[in-house]
């Protein structure tokens, strides 16, 4: 029944199947198919096949009939017949066949079919997602093993699914037979229409006796997927287009689904109204609220939908009105089905999808909603919650990590069943932010440096101390921005911003701290106090560049503060070019540096200097006599340096 509530109109809006002339039994079955009477159509088609009739159109409809009812193992049988008859099918059948193959454990064949789908589908986001995540089964495996899951103990032989918490109760949808003579079945699934039921929860969230929930909410059509405000006075829920005894239909005379709102007054749920963005022309279903209850999320196939059903949101204004629905976008919505959204008080959005890479059918996925409304990395929650069949309507209490999920997996009691679970390990996209802290001048590691981690609003999150090797690390969340501060006595405190990637992994951020007080003696290089390794000049030039002037301003300031200090300025090159050329160039650069300092007020008697060319290399990167070297650029860089040797204090 979840597929009806999932979005009844999906089949009409996405697929247009042409009728064809066939035997009278097949024609009758086609009419049943087009009217969504899939169960009756299947039996007719199968009897026709048993008599030896074959056609692509009939195999398509057989496969689709089972696919849209979540019986993927049976869908696989008929899609196999379809591809055996003609391997050149439209891309959408390749995708459905791949999903069905996963349900019967044929993952290798499913991936081959997904490859074919990707080639045929062009810009279809499902193909792109598969192309980017061909190791998706390994990723799902890494996210698995986090749940203890069992039958919830409230299932019937009919469909039970889609739950919500309300006043220490579990409220859910069920198609169980209440014994009423007026109880009606839907021809699409041969299941009874669903009503809302409730069960008390004990301390371990084990459901108890089941009772019908709110007579004025339940109707003779489908009700499902409620959500309640924290004060218990308002609920939103899904129902067929039926209000005040009147049933609405679209242009094809199909009764779709809408979201309704009800108020709790005088110990009863009453005043049921439909939301203003509902329509007779498309479906709106599965409401859920943001933690601050100012935004309503839902699934729909309204205009602007990217796939078969998408996730949307609307702002709930202070006066009770609603903004225009906004599609959550291509980052989360695909050409497939995205549905059954559920948002936790930790601002995590769980939803079901068959468009993102999964184990088969609908899988449950999760993403973090940022403070600015952006969505983080989308992750499959893993095996246990997910199976080769349809898994959806994920609900969790974030304090106890206990919850419920709906599924039509093997071993259940009915068409869909509710399972209770305990999450033993949270699935959070985490990164390790790591790095080292060094002395800017000497490059020596700095142990015992205090490292502080702040969020984007400069709220302190954590602190640590660098170890003996000067290393530190923090555990941070994916997709967030942080500020990191390094502080150590006798050094200038430094702070850096870092943006963390939206996927699991490691992010490096190193610090080089400048000494607050630089102690020097005669013979020391003053440039090392400021990390000046080289005064940069344009290639083959000796005029002072802007970057060089910045470093020389530091030298100038020290000379002004220490009027008796004298310097010998030495310029060095690497071995490339001839020795004579390097000698002349370096000498001109040393004299150009002296000239700049004199121009800016330093007495020329305090300055000496010359160029040494390639005569004082600090490594074995010499080029003579061939003028060639096998050294790396980094090794040559070590030889290209400027020195400011103190000759008097």
């Amino acid at each position: 029944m979840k597929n009806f509530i999932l979005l009844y109109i999906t089949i009409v809006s996405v697929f247009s199947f042409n009728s064809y002339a066939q035997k009278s039994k097949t024609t009758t079955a086609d009419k049943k198919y087009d009217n969504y009477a899939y169960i009756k159509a299947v039996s007719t088609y199968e009897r026709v096949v048993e008599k030896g009739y074959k056609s692509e159109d009939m195999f398509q409809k057989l496969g689709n009939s089972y696919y849209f009812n979540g019986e993927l193992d049976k869908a696989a049988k008929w899609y196999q017949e379809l591809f055996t008859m003609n391997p050149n099918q439209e891309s959408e059948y390749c995708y459905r066949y791949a999903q069905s193959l996963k349900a019967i454990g044929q993952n290798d064949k499913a991936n081959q079919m997904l490859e074919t789908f990707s080639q045929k589908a062009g810009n279809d986001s499902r193909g792109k997602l598969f192309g980017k995540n061909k190791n998706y089964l390994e990723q799902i495996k890494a996210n698995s093993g986090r749940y203890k899951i069992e039958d919830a103990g409230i299932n019937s032989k009919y469909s039970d699914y889609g739950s919500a918490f309300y006043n220490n109760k579990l409220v859910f949808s069920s198609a169980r037979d209440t014994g009423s003579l007026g109880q009606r079945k839907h021809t699409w699934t041969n299941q009874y229409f669903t009503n809302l039921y409730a069960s008390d929860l004990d301390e371990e969230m084990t459901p108890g006796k089941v009772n019908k929930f709110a007579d004025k909410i339940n109707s003779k059509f489908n009700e499902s997927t409620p959500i309640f405000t924290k004060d218990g006075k308002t609920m939103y829920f899904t129902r067929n287009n039926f209000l005040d005894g009147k049933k609405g239909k679209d242009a094809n005379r199909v009764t779709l689904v809408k979201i309704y709102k009800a108020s709790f007054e005088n110990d009863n749920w009453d005043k049921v109204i439909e939301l203003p963005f509902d329509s007779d022309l498309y479906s709106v279903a599965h409401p859920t609220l943001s933690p601050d209850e100012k935004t309503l999320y839902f699934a729909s196939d309204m205009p602007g939908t990217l796939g078969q059903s998408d996730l949307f949101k609307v702002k709930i204004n202070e006066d009770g009105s609603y903004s225009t629905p906004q599609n959550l976008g291509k980052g989360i919505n695909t050409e497939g089905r995205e549905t059954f959204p559920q948002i936790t008080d930790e601002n995590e959005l769980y939803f079901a999808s068959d468009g993102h890479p999964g184990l088969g059918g609908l899988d449950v996925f999760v993403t973090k909603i940022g403070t600015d409304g952006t969505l983080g990395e989308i992750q499959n929650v893993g095996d246990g919650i997910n199976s080769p069949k349809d898994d959806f309507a994920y609900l969790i209490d974030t304090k106890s990590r206990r919850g419920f999920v709906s599924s039509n997996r093997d071993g259940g009691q009915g068409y869909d069943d509710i399972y209770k679970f305990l999450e033993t390990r949270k699935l959070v996209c985490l990164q390790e932010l790591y790095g080292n802290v060094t002395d800017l001048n000497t490059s020596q590691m700095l142990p015992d440096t205090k490292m502080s981690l702040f969020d984007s609003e400069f709220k302190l999150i954590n602190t640590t101390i660098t170890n003996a090797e000067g290393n530190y690390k923090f555990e941070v969340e994916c997709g967030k921005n942080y500020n990191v501060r390094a502080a150590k006595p006798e050094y200038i405190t430094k702070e850096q911003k870092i943006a963390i990637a939206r996927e699991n992994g490691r992010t490096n951020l190193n610090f080089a701290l400048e000494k607050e007080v630089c102690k020097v003696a005669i013979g020391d290089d003053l440039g090392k106090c400021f990390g000046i390794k080289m005064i940069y000049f344009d290639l083959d030039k000796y005029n002072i560049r802007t970057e060089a002037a910045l470093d020389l301003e530091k030298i100038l300031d020290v000379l002004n503060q220490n009027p008796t200090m004298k310097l010998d300025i030495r310029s060095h090159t690497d071995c490339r070019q001839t020795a004579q050329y390097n000698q002349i160039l370096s000498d001109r650069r040393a004299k150009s540096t002296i000239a700049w300092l004199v121009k800016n007020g330093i007495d020329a008697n305090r300055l000496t200097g010359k160029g040494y060319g390639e005569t004082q290399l600090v490594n074995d990167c010499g080029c003579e006599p061939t003028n060639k070297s096998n050294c790396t650029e980094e090794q040559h860089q070590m030889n290209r340096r400027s020195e400011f040797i103190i000759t008097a204090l």
Side-chain angles (χ1 to χ4, degrees), residues 27-43:
T27 303
T28 301
D30 288 345
K31 291 179 179 178
K32 294 173 182 176
Y33 178 93
D34 293 335
N35 289 324
Y36 307 102
Y38 286 167
I39 297 300
K40 295 179 182 178
V42 166
S43 59

Side-chain angles (χ1 to χ4, degrees), residues 558-626:
V558 174
L559 289 172
N560 286 330
Q561 298 303 317
N562 298 271
T564 60
M565 180 182 288
K566 294 183 179 181
L567 296 179
D568 183 42
I569 298 168
R570 304 170 184 178
S571 177
H572 303 269
T573 70
D574 60 35
C575 68
R576 292 174 291 188
Q577 281 287 356
T578 65
Q580 182 182 8
Y581 179 90
N582 286 332
Q583 183 66 44
I584 295 172
L585 180 63
S586 64
D587 194 61
R588 287 177 176 175
R589 287 178 172 178
K591 291 177 179 177
S592 178
T593 302
I594 293 173
W596 187 93
L597 291 169
V598 171
K599 179 182 177 181
N600 284 275
I602 302 300
D603 191 329
N605 293 327
R606 298 172 63 190
L607 303 172
T608 58
K610 72 172 186 176
Y612 290 83
E614 59 183 84
T615 62
Q616 294 185 5
L617 302 178
V618 297
N619 53 30
D620 294 328
C621 291
C623 303
E624 304 303 336
T626 62

Side-chain angles (χ1 to χ4, degrees), residues 8-9 35-36 247-256 280:
Y8 201 170
I9 192 61
N35 289 324
Y36 307 102
K247 181 172 67 171
K249 295 182 179 181
D250 70 356
N252 296 315
R253 301 188 61 76
V254 175
T255 300
L256 306 179
D280 292 345

Side-chain angles (χ1 to χ4, degrees), residues 78-119:
W78 296 113
Y79 286 142
Q80 180 177 345
E81 293 286 349
L82 172 65
F83 278 82
T84 299
M85 190 171 188
N86 181 7
N88 188 25
Q89 297 295 324
E90 294 179 1
S91 62
E92 194 62 37
Y93 286 103
C94 297
Y95 191 81
R96 290 183 212 157
Y97 187 25
Q99 294 292 90
S100 302
L101 287 167
K102 291 180 189 178
I104 58 176
Q106 296 187 22
N107 290 321
D108 290 343
K109 190 173 181 180
N111 288 340
Q112 292 174 5
M113 191 55 60
L114 284 173
E115 291 278 9
T116 303
F117 167 76
S118 298
Q119 295 169 7

Side-chain angles (χ1 to χ4, degrees), residues 124 174 229 273 470 500 503 605:
D124 193 300
S174 179
T229 55
I273 61 172
I500 305 300
E503 57 188 19
N605 293 327

Side-chain angles (χ1 to χ4, degrees), residues 341-352:
Q342 184 67 233
I343 298 177
T344 70
D345 57 7
E346 296 178 341
N347 231 24
E348 289 179 317
L349 169 60
Y350 289 89
F351 65 99

